[in-house]
Amino acid sequence: MDDQFFKSAIPVYPAGRSNLMNDCILFAAVINAEKTTDAVLKITGSTLYRVKINGKFLSYGPARAAVGFFRVDEVPLRLAAGKNRLTVELSSCCVNSYYYPDQPGFLQAEVVAGEKVLAATGENFRAFDLNEKRIRKVPRSCFQRMFVEAYNVSAGPEKFTELTLVEQDAVKLLPRVVPFPEYRIDHSYTPQRSLRRTLSGEKVVRRRWDNYLEPDGEPGFKCFKFDELEFDAYTLLHRLQKSDTGNICSTFYKGRINNTGFIRLKVDCRRPGLLAVIFSETAQADNTIDPVMHFVLNGVFWNLQTPGVYDLEAMEVNTFKYAEVFMVDGEAEVQDFSLREYKSPLGRDYKLPGSDPVLNAIFEAGWETFAANAVDCFTDCPSRERAAWLCDSFFTARTAYLLTGNTLLEKFFLENFAIAPSFKDIPVGALPMVYPGDHPNGMFIPNWGMWLIIQTGDYLKRSGDRELVEMFREKFTGFIGYMNSFLNADGLLENLPSWVFVEWSKANEFLQDVSFPSNMLYTLALDTMAELYHDERYVLQAKQMRQTIRRQSFDGTWFRDHGVRQKDGSLLIPESDITETCQYYAFFTGCAMAELHDNLWNKLITDFGPERKSNGAYPEIYPSNAFIGNYLRLEILSVAGLHEQLLRESVGYFKKMADVTGTLWEYDDPHASCCHGFASYINVLLAKALAAQSESL
């Protein structure tokens, strides 16, 4: 298969550097064209690259693939008559992350016009040391992603040391499959006011979850040691404070929405110094930005070394509605501030039935959320993690099918799991919670493997793709075998390993020893296995588990969340540990049914919803959160045909999100990610409800 991608190009990298952390290389080729010529750039590499032609932005990549595989971009290229300079800035990260896996750096690229190769790595590409511009030894931006961006730049022409390229090991190649972003420029970021900042002289005390600053912060975690940093963004951002008498003048920018892409700015530097851009999805109560929210370093830094005009653009993708720009020990005027979007172009033209302005605003926020989280893999958020998480993907995949009418994006996502030969660092039989990604600490979520099976069942109904289902057979049967090793004498899962996850609420404190929501979800996974592989043993096991769950968890009024194993071997079901989310899991998975549990059903439909926190109904039942209890609630309303109620409650849950950020959130408040892929599923529920209402007229 690899021969279909490249005629001449081979994978190359500077000698002896392919495993350096945060190594940045500039690859360049001069292409002569007798006349204006249409060509194609075929390119792949590790980890990230930005392509320019004659100094102008062209493309960004690559799309992600399973570990050991690399996807080839085929970028249309128009060459001008004469000399054309093609450059590829490649950032080889070589650290474990949830965004891109830890793999050696390389570039493989060629430019082809018809059957003629005009340039190719291994032939006429040269390489230069871009670390003379981008500062290499910087802290990670967070635990989940790679490095902070920091640069030393001058206003004059750039010159870098040339490096010797050597051939690297051949890699397995795949097509990109998913479309490129449109790279639109968002010019909506406008200056709001000036602020005063100062750098506190107080000692910076590391917070508990700032576990990305030292290599020994987590098992197998890779980063630079704190005392060898060439630029300490962590200390700088933690010392930054608002002060009416501060000597740092900051300009505060606000965008139309919470958008995703590459920070761009043009500045006129009068006095050299450090230019910083800090950013956030939300503003603080005092109308400033907290650049270290969510245990992330939200800043990009350019050390402007000479006076002059600079056109600057970040290479890493970030998400924000608000930004501040300031100089430390220098002076500059910002002449333009904008964002180059990095979002999927798909589904933009889908229109929600009806003309309700509030529902349309929520739907638009849902599309923005989807687009930012569907560039290649479905991701949880485009900011802190950019990670291909399961569970989130179950919901985002349904949105993708609504907006695009096909399963292209979903197949791309699932294929990465399916083609992986194995999953490093987690037990045999377990499925990774996020992939492609690294888990050197051995962490995985057993519930997320269940969601992968359930999503694959959904996918088969949408696509009819038996081939991909068969690719999963061995992995899925291995996972069921692994999960069944945790069955207790009652036939329920007990003491599941690693990180058991139900929801971002009190429900995630009631997990051991027997988590009933986890067992409920497992019954649905077993039913799905029976549908996928026509094995009735799974149906029987699911049926027996549901009977046991009803007997042990349901107290006649509520489903309780968990059972705690006592010293005498008995299982105690705590009476007070009851969550709203557990009830939704019960109905979503078929462990509860309206006809069997009518009193509970009527309570949930009548007395619960977005107003319950304020009206105080059933204070003893711990409330749900957005991920995922509120969505499970809306899903069961939809299945029950309660469309008018669903529309009303959707306004209660999501209007504020649409108003505040123009995107939809991970929580029901803005203290975490404010653009979370799963949340776009509200678009499916809204479209279904409005279509049903239209049909009834």
Side-chain angles (χ1 to χ4, degrees), residues 56 95 119 144 185 197 239 244 274 300 315 338 346 366 392 395 418 441 465 477 483 573 587 612 638 678 688:
K56 294 184 178 181
V95 293
Q144 298 88 343
I185 306 300
R197 293 279 196 174
R239 289 176 59 200
D244 292 337
L274 179 66
V300 182
M315 189 169 172
S338 60
L346 299 177
D392 298 74
F395 298 96
N441 60 5
D465 184 359
T477 55
M483 286 293 98
I573 314 297
F587 283 99
R612 186 172 79 91
S638 179
F678 86 97
K688 181 179 177 182

Side-chain angles (χ1 to χ4, degrees), residues 671-688:
H671 83 271
S673 159
C674 291
C675 182
H676 230 68
F678 86 97
S680 65
Y681 182 54
I682 190 57
N683 285 17
V684 177
L685 298 171
L686 292 178
K688 181 179 177 182

Side-chain angles (χ1 to χ4, degrees), residues 381-445:
C381 61
S383 51
R384 178 187 65 234
E385 301 190 9
R386 303 194 60 80
W389 283 88
L390 294 171
C391 184
D392 298 74
S393 64
F394 169 85
F395 298 96
T396 313
R398 289 185 169 186
T399 309
Y401 188 68
L402 169 78
L403 296 178
T404 69
N406 60 60
T407 56
L408 174 73
L409 293 172
E410 183 174 20
K411 182 172 183 177
F412 178 96
F413 176 91
L414 293 174
E415 183 183 64
N416 286 338
F417 283 86
I419 66 176
S422 62
F423 299 115
K424 185 181 177 182
D425 295 323
I426 63 175
V428 175
L431 293 169
M433 56 193 181
V434 50
Y435 191 80
D438 300 309
H439 312 279
N441 60 5
M443 183 75 74
F444 68 99
I445 302 177

Side-chain angles (χ1 to χ4, degrees), residues 476-596:
F476 284 175
T477 55
F479 174 76
I480 295 297
Y482 179 60
M483 286 293 98
N484 281 347
S485 70
F486 295 95
L487 294 175
N488 62 20
D490 298 325
L492 297 185
L493 299 171
E494 182 170 349
N495 288 324
L496 285 174
S498 202
W499 182 18
V500 181
F501 189 94
V502 170
E503 188 202 44
W504 287 129
S505 71
K506 196 74 171 178
N508 235 47
E509 297 180 20
F510 304 144
L511 301 173
Q512 296 294 338
D513 295 305
V514 176
S515 165
F516 289 119
S518 300
N519 276 279
M520 293 169 182
L521 191 66
Y522 193 52
T523 67
L524 191 56
L526 290 169
D527 279 344
T528 306
M529 286 291 291
E531 295 171 1
L532 291 174
Y533 303 113
H534 310 295
D535 191 332
E536 291 300 308
R537 292 177 299 172
Y538 298 122
V539 174
L540 179 60
Q541 183 181 355
K543 180 179 179 181
Q544 292 173 339
M545 289 184 70
R546 286 192 177 99
Q547 291 173 347
T548 305
I549 290 167
R550 290 166 186 154
R551 186 171 64 253
Q552 293 187 358
S553 173
F554 189 59
D555 64 7
T557 303
W558 310 100
F559 281 88
R560 303 185 197 173
D561 276 63
H562 68 144
V564 180
R565 188 66 61 185
Q566 304 299 293
K567 290 183 179 180
D568 64 2
S570 63
L571 192 69
L572 173 67
I573 314 297
E575 294 182 3
S576 61
D577 296 351
I578 303 173
T579 67
E580 180 182 354
T581 296
C582 183
Q583 318 312 308
Y584 300 146
Y585 266 92
F587 283 99
F588 176 73
T589 61
C591 292
M593 292 180 284
E595 57 270 25
L596 294 179

Side-chain angles (χ1 to χ4, degrees), residues 157 171 174 178 193 210 222 274 277 302 322 464 533 551 553 583 607 666 689:
V171 297
L174 294 169
V178 296
R193 61 190 180 281
D210 289 335
K222 293 174 67 174
L274 179 66
V277 181
W302 288 273
Y322 303 94
Y533 303 113
R551 186 171 64 253
S553 173
Q583 318 312 308
D607 301 329
E666 179 181 9

